[in-house]
Structures are given as C-alpha cells and as structure tokens.
Amino acid sequence: MSQDPRAVIAAAPMRTLQIVVVALCIALNALDGFDVLAISFAAPGIAEEWGVDKATLGIVLSMELLGMAAGSVLIGNVADRVGRRPTILACLIVMAIGMYAAMHAEGVTSLSVVRFLTGIGIGGMLSSTSAMVAEFSNDKRRGLNVALNIAGYSTGAILGGLLASRLLAETGDWRSVFMLGAIASAAMIPLAFFFLPESIESLIARRPAGALERVNHTLARIGHAPAEALPPVPAEVLKPSITSLFGPGFARITILLTIAYFAQILFFYYIQKWVPKIVVDMGFDAAQAGRVLVAANVGNLAGAVLIGLASQRFNLRPLVAGAMLAGFVAIALFGVAGADLTRLSITVAIAAFFINAGVVGMYPLLAQAYPAALRASGTGFVIGIGRGGSALGPVVAGALFASGGSLLLVSLVMGLGGLLAAAMILLLPRETSANNG
C-alpha cells in the first residue's frame, strides 16, 4: 500500500514546486499589503481634493477592512469547499478590477463601495494563501513559511509604499497609487494561473471527481512517486462550516483566537491607517508621510521574519504574548515623538515590529489548530471577524482625534488591544502552540 501523500510531503525536504508555491503566495500577500494600504497613501490627497474631515475619512479608511472581514469568512469557507486554486484566482481578478475602479471614483460613497468590494477579494486571498502555504510546506518549515507568507504583506507595503511615495511626489495625484495597484494585480493573474496547483490536502479532504489523478499529477510535479489510492475517509468527516468551528475540540480555540486577533489587528491598523494623516497634520507633505509609513512597514517585516524564525525553535505562545505586550509599551514612545521625522520613523518602526510580530505569530497557531477540511474556514473566520472589528480601529481613532485627543492618549487607548490579545493567547490550550513544526 502506498504511503499517504500528506505524510510524504510533511516528512520530505522542500522541493522546487513547493518553494515556487510558497514564493507565489508570498507575492500575492505582498500585493494584498499594497492594495490595503493604497487608501492610506492616497488619504491626504483625497481629504484635500474632496474636503473630507477626519471622522469621515476614518470611515472611508475602514471600508476595505469590512470587505476583508466578509471575504475572509465567506470566501475562506468557499476555499474549503471548491479548492484553494480557483478561489485565489477569483480573488485576484476582483482585486485588479477594484483597484482600477478606485481610480475613477468621484466621491466618498463610490470610493467606499469600491474599497469594500476590493476588500472582499483581499480577505479571501489571505485565508486561501495561508492554507495553501501550510499544505505545501513540510513539517520542518511550516511555521516559518506561514509566517513569511504573512510577512509578504509588509514587503508589499514597503516596496509599494516607496513607489507610491515617488508617484505622489512626481504627480501629486492620489489616483496614481490605485493605478499602480491595478497594474500589479493584473500582472499576477497569469503567474497564479500557470504556477499554482491545487493543494493535495484540499483534494484529499474534498475528494472531487478525478481527485487521485490530480493528486498524482501534483506529486509528479513535486518529484514524488504516485499514490495507488486516496487515504481512507476518516470515521468522522468534518464539514467545512462555521458550525464545525464551534463543535467539540474547536470551540474554545476558535473563541480565544478570534478575540486575540480582533484586538491585535485593531491595534495594528491604527498605525497602518492613521500614520500618514498624523504626519501631514504635523506640517509635513504627503510624500514625507508616506516614508514614515514605509518605516513602520520595515518594522512590520522585521517582526514577521523574526517571529517566523523563532517558531522553528521556541513555543510561540509566550513569544506572541510578549510581543503584544511590548507593542503597547512601544506605541507610547511614538505618542511622545513630536514633530520630528526621524523620531517618528524610528518609534513607529519599533512599535510596528512588536505589534506585527504579535499578528503574524498567530498564523502558525491557526495552521496547526485546524485540520485541512477546516483550515481555510478556521483561518478565514478568525481573521474575518478580527478584521471586521479592526474596521472600528480607524473610526475610533478618528473620533478620538476629532474630539481633541492627543497623539499619546489616542495611541494608548488603541494599544489596549494588545493587552487584551496577549491575555487571550496565554489562555490558549498548551497543545495548540506546542507543535508548530
């Protein structure tokens, strides 16, 4: 009897196709990172051209987060039902169309609708690629690869932010930022189409017609021997549904991870959405503000890579909780940095380092907590509900600023999310974070 293909992939060294899949997913998340932050880079220009106040701008900044919430929950479940590959391709097409449409928005309402729809594609992409990377990785590299996949978000924000800052400096037109996103998204469609196979774990869990042939085709592309038959169907088959996430063995984990992600991502998006506007209000121009946000994303990337490397050697639970607590302390330094670009850049980078390490450290926990039949659904639900809550972040911060709150006060209030998230992580069952591969 041939060996279970999942066990073969888990035990063998990473082969070329597996590395290509992981790299492509990282690139797609880099695209996500830029697409999400495009509105942040464009925000000062939008506010000036359309005369938008801070409270209204906070709502606009939150719209794609709401879309990402819907996309993560709904499309994550779709990815478990129909497969990772078609879901990723559909999300990519939605993102390309959404970025193009944002260039032609004529007011707050139309831009908000477009950003919401774009967010649906982004949210579905994140949950689908997270599952894909986990399922194409071996046991040794899974935690690192999942973390690097999420680190792609920050990479895209950094590279895209540098390009966006240059475009803004040269054109002065916020629409150029969305043009860049539309071109980049469209360019990724053929790459994903030709180089992303369907996940073997997903095929085995779903068992569509021709599943064995498709599994063996992918095994051959990787360089492994074909399987004689699909592994036996488990005695208890998990159906990809929200109900299953709250069934025996999963309810406590789902609740704790959802609250933790909700609180930490709210904290994360305070920096990502408000830094450009905060810096512009101190008297600097949009290009300078964009560079401060780039500094934050350098911190994001460093934190993501470090937590990914640490996941190979240490228990993630105390590392993640510690990073969340350190983020609360670090945001206070940003709050007292004053109108100095160097201090603002350094303090926001330090804060972002710890805050994003806390966010990214949760993804290996998610990949380990749920089996293949529920992986995209579980990841999608946690990040979807979390991102839905995170949409409150820019709105709450905007309301606090509009009521006269100081930068330090607003920063500390938003930082309370990190304290709550750390508490939830420490309450997780120990087995959830003991074996992150």
Side-chain angles (χ1 to χ4, degrees), residues 162-300:
L162 291 170
L163 289 172
S165 295
R166 173 171 286 188
L167 281 173
L168 288 170
E170 291 181 356
T171 69
D173 185 0
W174 56 266
R175 292 172 182 83
S176 64
V177 177
F178 293 112
M179 177 187 69
L180 176 62
I183 293 171
S185 299
M188 288 299 298
I189 294 173
L191 292 175
F193 182 83
F194 287 110
F195 294 107
L196 278 186
E198 182 56 273
S199 155
I200 287 175
E201 282 202 45
S202 176
L203 287 168
I204 292 173
R206 293 183 294 111
R207 298 175 185 260
L212 179 60
E213 291 76 10
R214 293 175 67 185
V215 166
N216 283 335
H217 178 68
T218 301
L219 284 172
R221 290 180 65 186
I222 293 173
H224 292 306
E228 296 175 6
L230 294 176
V233 178
E236 183 179 351
V237 177
L238 289 168
K239 294 183 179 180
S241 68
I242 303 302
T243 304
S244 297
L245 299 178
F246 290 91
F250 297 110
R252 181 185 175 192
I253 291 170
T254 298
I255 292 169
L256 290 174
L257 288 174
T258 301
I259 294 173
Y261 195 89
F262 177 108
Q264 187 70 8
I265 207 73
L266 183 148
F267 189 12
F268 175 84
Y269 274 111
Y270 161 60
I271 287 182
Q272 298 299 100
K273 295 297 184 181
W274 274 104
V275 160
K277 183 61 174 168
I278 289 168
V279 175
V280 166
D281 286 350
M282 290 180 175
F284 302 101
D285 62 35
Q288 290 171 313
R291 285 191 283 273
V292 175
L293 186 56
V294 168
N297 280 285
V298 171
N300 284 339

Side-chain angles (χ1 to χ4, degrees), residues 67-420:
M68 288 170 73
S72 294
V73 174
L74 300 176
I75 300 181
N77 187 254
V78 169
D80 279 337
R81 291 175 180 271
V82 306
R84 320 302 191 211
R85 183 176 185 273
T87 305
I88 288 172
L89 288 169
C91 290
L92 193 51
I93 292 168
V94 169
M95 289 162 57
I97 294 172
M99 295 299 282
Y100 178 80
M103 293 168 53
H104 302 282
E106 297 180 349
V108 169
T109 301
S110 60
L111 182 60
S112 296
V113 171
V114 166
R115 292 305 293 169
F116 176 81
L117 295 175
T118 306
I120 291 177
I122 294 170
M125 178 73 76
L126 186 58
S127 55
S128 300
T129 58
S130 295
M132 182 79 94
V133 167
E135 290 160 7
F136 270 95
S137 298
N138 61 14
D139 283 346
K140 183 177 180 181
R141 302 297 182 196
R142 185 170 295 114
L144 174 62
N145 289 345
V146 170
L148 290 177
N149 182 51
I150 305 306
Y153 179 101
S154 299
T155 305
I158 293 167
L159 298 178
L162 291 170
L163 289 172
S165 295
R166 173 171 286 188
L167 281 173
L168 288 170
E170 291 181 356
T171 69
D173 185 0
W174 56 266
R175 292 172 182 83
S176 64
V177 177
F178 293 112
M179 177 187 69
L180 176 62
I183 293 171
S185 299
M188 288 299 298
I189 294 173
L191 292 175
F193 182 83
F194 287 110
F195 294 107
L196 278 186
E198 182 56 273
S199 155
I200 287 175
E201 282 202 45
S202 176
L203 287 168
I204 292 173
R206 293 183 294 111
R207 298 175 185 260
L212 179 60
E213 291 76 10
R214 293 175 67 185
V215 166
N216 283 335
H217 178 68
T218 301
L219 284 172
R221 290 180 65 186
I222 293 173
H224 292 306
E228 296 175 6
L230 294 176
V233 178
E236 183 179 351
V237 177
L238 289 168
K239 294 183 179 180
S241 68
I242 303 302
T243 304
S244 297
L245 299 178
F246 290 91
F250 297 110
R252 181 185 175 192
I253 291 170
T254 298
I255 292 169
L256 290 174
L257 288 174
T258 301
I259 294 173
Y261 195 89
F262 177 108
Q264 187 70 8
I265 207 73
L266 183 148
F267 189 12
F268 175 84
Y269 274 111
Y270 161 60
I271 287 182
Q272 298 299 100
K273 295 297 184 181
W274 274 104
V275 160
K277 183 61 174 168
I278 289 168
V279 175
V280 166
D281 286 350
M282 290 180 175
F284 302 101
D285 62 35
Q288 290 171 313
R291 285 191 283 273
V292 175
L293 186 56
V294 168
N297 280 285
V298 171
N300 284 339
L301 179 57
V305 171
L306 189 64
I307 202 88
L309 292 170
S311 74
Q312 297 186 106
R313 312 190 78 181
F314 303 105
N315 188 335
L316 268 178
R317 195 168 66 133
L319 288 174
V320 172
M324 291 168 168
L325 294 172
F328 175 78
V329 176
I331 200 64
L333 299 176
F334 173 69
V336 296
D340 181 284
L341 280 176
T342 301
R343 284 201 303 269
L344 285 167
S345 297
I346 292 172
T347 55
V348 81
I350 293 171
F353 175 93
F354 290 112
I355 295 167
N356 197 43
V359 173
V360 172
M362 291 190 62
Y363 283 83
L365 292 179
L366 285 164
Q368 194 274 336
Y370 297 106
L374 293 178
R375 189 166 288 129
S377 296
T379 302
F381 181 85
V382 171
I383 66 178
I385 298 300
R387 288 183 187 279
S390 75
L392 295 175
V395 176
V396 171
L400 289 170
F401 280 128
S403 66
S406 67
L407 179 58
L408 176 60
L409 174 64
V410 177
S411 297
L412 289 176
V413 170
M414 302 307 293
L416 292 174
L419 300 184
L420 176 59

